[in-house]
């Protein structure tokens, strides 16, 4: 069992930012990454649709024999992870916006959160935000249109710049000192965000924490691969493999899969 792969899924190619953190921390673990780009974005869909898509992705990875599943998508985690944990036996790792560290570290008492509509409107996000940031000025912003542009490979485009400028303005006006990236697609925008934000604003996401939690849960369940010295990593998408390949710096082969 411990030589079986870690399964990772996202609504698209953004979760590769999480895969990179996991692969860096656990380089000898086999992985299978599933990008449901055909159905991206999940953000504007309702809870039921997000749960159904998460079930489809999970069952694909379970049928491939994955020993643990990382839901590398804030939108799927905040809407579907309770259902997935109640339904399947494998351990699940989810990702949520890093509101807690931002709320603990802000000096200006003002933090910005950029995430999808599905994440910001979820009960799980409201709960976490209520516990950790109720006494802070939290500027929430739906990143409408961002995932679509990233899925098209338009990371550094003029359209992206215009969108981000609009979304960041209320945050800059509120003098935030932390920007939380609440969507796994967004770490790919960090170079552009650094350009557009005042230099004192720190950008945080949950990628590293997810990798650490993956390691902890594998260890606790006796699932760590302690024998292999290198890993096999498979990437599947029902979208355009060439764009995902670019995000992986062309180091890995991406296969088209009709699922
Ligand atoms: N990467 C997904 C997330 O973390 C994007 C969601 C979407 O497809 O809208 O939320």
């Amino acid at each position: 069992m411990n030589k079986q792969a870690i399964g990772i899924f996202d609504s698209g190619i953004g979760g590769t930012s999480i895969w990179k953190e996991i692969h860096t921390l656990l380089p000898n673990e086999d992985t299978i990454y599933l990008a449901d780009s055909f159905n991206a974005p999940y953000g504007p869909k309702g809870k039921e649709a997000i749960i159904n898509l998460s079930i489809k992705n999970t069952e694909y990875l379970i049928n491939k024999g994955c020993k643990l599943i990382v839901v590398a998508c804030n939108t799927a985690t905040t809407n579907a992870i309770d259902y997935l944990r109640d339904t399947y036996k494998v351990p699940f790792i989810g990702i949520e916006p890093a509101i807690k560290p931002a709320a603990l570290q802000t000096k200006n008492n003002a933090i910005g959160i950029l995430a999808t509509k599905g994440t910001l409107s979820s009960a799980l996000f409201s709960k976490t935000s209520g516990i950790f940031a109720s006494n802070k000025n939290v500027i929430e912003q739906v990143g409408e249109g961002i995932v679509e542009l990233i899925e098209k490979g338009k990371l550094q485009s003029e359209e992206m710049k215009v969108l981000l400028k609009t979304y960041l303005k209320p945050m800059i006006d509120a003098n935030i000192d932390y920007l939380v990236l609440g969507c796994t697609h967004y770490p790919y925008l960090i170079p552009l965000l650094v350009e557009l934000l005042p230099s004192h604003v720190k950008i945080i996401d949950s990628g590293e924490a997810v990798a650490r939690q993956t390691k902890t849960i594998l260890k606790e369940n006796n699932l760590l691969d302690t024998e292999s010295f290198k890993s096999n990593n498979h990437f599947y998408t029902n979208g355009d493999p060439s764009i995902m390949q670019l995000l992986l710096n062309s180091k890995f082969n991406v296969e088209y899969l009709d699922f």
Side-chain angles (χ1 to χ4, degrees):
M1 182 71 173
N2 59 3
K3 289 183 84 65
Q4 286 173 266
I6 297 171
I8 303 168
F9 77 80
D10 178 33
S11 62
I13 57 184
T16 52
S17 64
I18 306 303
W19 174 84
K20 286 176 188 175
E21 301 284 359
I22 292 171
H23 185 61
T24 303
L25 189 69
L26 300 164
N28 56 334
E29 291 286 340
D30 287 355
T31 60
I32 300 175
Y33 182 96
L34 192 61
D36 190 17
S37 295
F38 180 81
N39 290 300
Y42 282 11
K45 300 186 198 305
K47 187 175 172 81
E48 203 185 321
I50 296 168
I51 291 177
N52 287 333
L53 291 167
S54 301
I55 290 173
K56 180 193 67 151
N57 299 333
T58 297
E59 292 194 349
Y60 179 84
L61 293 169
I62 287 177
N63 288 335
K64 282 270 185 186
C66 290
K67 59 185 177 185
L68 172 145
I69 293 175
V70 179
V71 182
C73 176
N74 292 262
T75 312
T77 298
T78 50
N79 285 277
I81 202 151
D82 288 346
Y83 180 90
L84 298 176
R85 286 189 172 131
D86 287 348
T87 310
Y88 303 98
K89 280 202 189 100
V90 286
F92 285 88
I93 308 292
I95 181 162
E96 283 184 71
I99 191 159
K100 180 181 172 184
L104 289 175
Q105 292 170 72
T106 176
K107 298 218 163 43
N108 296 358
N109 280 327
I111 58 184
I113 311 226
L114 193 58
T116 70
K117 184 172 170 231
T119 295
L120 292 176
S121 61
S122 68
L124 192 55
F125 176 78
S126 305
K127 193 175 156 200
T128 314
S129 179
I131 295 173
F132 299 107
S134 58
N135 57 348
K136 310 287 175 209
N137 183 14
V138 180
I139 294 99
E140 296 176 12
Q141 177 65 54
V142 174
E144 206 180 323
I146 297 180
V147 167
E148 288 92 322
L149 287 176
I150 295 176
E151 287 289 322
K152 286 183 193 147
K154 295 181 170 180
L155 272 80
Q156 296 278 346
S157 61
E158 203 43 48
E159 290 157 276
M160 184 69 87
K161 220 176 197 169
V162 170
L163 271 188
L164 290 180
K165 270 189 183 162
T166 314
Y167 296 159
L168 296 176
K169 183 158 188 319
M171 301 186 187
I172 296 170
D173 289 349
N175 196 24
I176 61 158
D177 54 358
Y178 276 86
L179 171 65
V180 178
L181 302 184
C183 169
T184 56
H185 282 67
Y186 300 169
Y188 287 111
L189 302 175
I190 289 175
L192 196 50
L193 289 166
V194 167
E195 212 179 282
L196 298 174
L197 283 166
S199 57
H200 71 273
V201 179
K202 296 188 182 64
I203 301 170
I204 55 173
D205 65 74
S206 316
E208 253 186 84
V210 168
R212 282 198 303 272
Q213 179 69 356
T214 303
K215 188 175 178 180
T216 303
I217 298 299
L218 285 175
K219 217 172 176 175
E220 272 177 27
N221 288 276
N222 234 353
L223 292 172
L224 270 179
D225 182 351
T226 48
E227 290 157 41
S228 309
F229 292 101
K230 65 191 255 303
S231 59
N232 292 308
N233 300 279
H234 293 282
F235 296 89
Y236 299 106
T237 177
N238 52 9
D240 180 350
S242 67
I243 297 171
M244 189 155 144
Q245 209 135 7
L246 279 182
L247 292 191
L248 296 166
N249 303 323
S250 306
K251 284 188 191 149
F252 295 90
N253 186 42
V254 179
E255 278 175 58
Y256 175 78
L257 189 74
D258 192 6
F259 72 98

